[in-house]
Amino acid sequence: MAEPSSEELQALSQAYLNCLELCRAFKKQTDDPYVRDALDSLIDDLHEPLVVLASHLRRQGIAPGAFEVDRQGKARIREIRGTRSLREKLLAIRRCLADLVAWYTALFSAGKTDQLPPAWLDSLSTQAQRMLDKWDQHMVEMKAHVQN
């Protein structure tokens, strides 16, 4: 598969930024030390992909520092601020992480099946899945897991 386009990288950067800001908004609202620790860890994990994506955007001549939370990100932040349910707040973070994983899945399935994605992109995909799995485990521990 070829390198992602600048539009694809911008969309992915935006998704990571929205997720990061959602976590920060949730952290400001909670006093629960266990939740705050989980959010701190996730916030740290979300920084690395943003750095990698910024580097690739700069190579394509795009200034990544110009990104701000978009309408979708603001809507999610309003959602998290507007609910009192811890489970719903945890699920909002989970949806954000699941969207990141889905983005990679869609990109990889749209590429040629006989070519592997670039190593850096594959690494980010693996990391996104790991963040989602870790958050799911956190939700189970908080007894707020998704029931099928």
Side-chain angles (χ1 to χ4, degrees), residues 23-105:
C23 292
R24 287 178 176 161
F26 183 10
K27 184 179 173 192
K28 287 179 184 177
Q29 279 193 310
T30 187
D31 293 327
D32 183 317
Y34 186 72
V35 173
R36 288 180 68 86
D37 285 347
L39 287 167
D40 281 339
S41 177
L42 183 55
I43 288 167
D44 287 344
D45 289 347
L46 288 166
H47 280 284
E48 182 182 340
L50 281 168
V51 169
V52 171
L53 290 166
S55 171
H56 285 275
L57 284 168
R58 275 192 291 282
R59 286 186 202 142
Q60 293 182 5
I62 298 167
F67 287 99
E68 295 181 4
V69 177
D70 66 5
R71 283 188 310 187
Q72 181 181 9
K74 289 177 184 177
R76 283 184 165 171
I77 290 171
R78 278 192 305 277
E79 173 190 347
I80 216 166
R81 288 181 178 157
T83 185
R84 296 178 59 106
S85 165
L86 176 62
R87 182 177 187 278
E88 289 304 315
K89 290 178 182 186
L90 294 170
L91 284 171
I93 300 293
R94 188 194 189 283
R95 283 190 295 273
C96 190
L97 295 171
D99 287 349
L100 292 173
V101 171
W103 187 92
Y104 289 106
T105 302

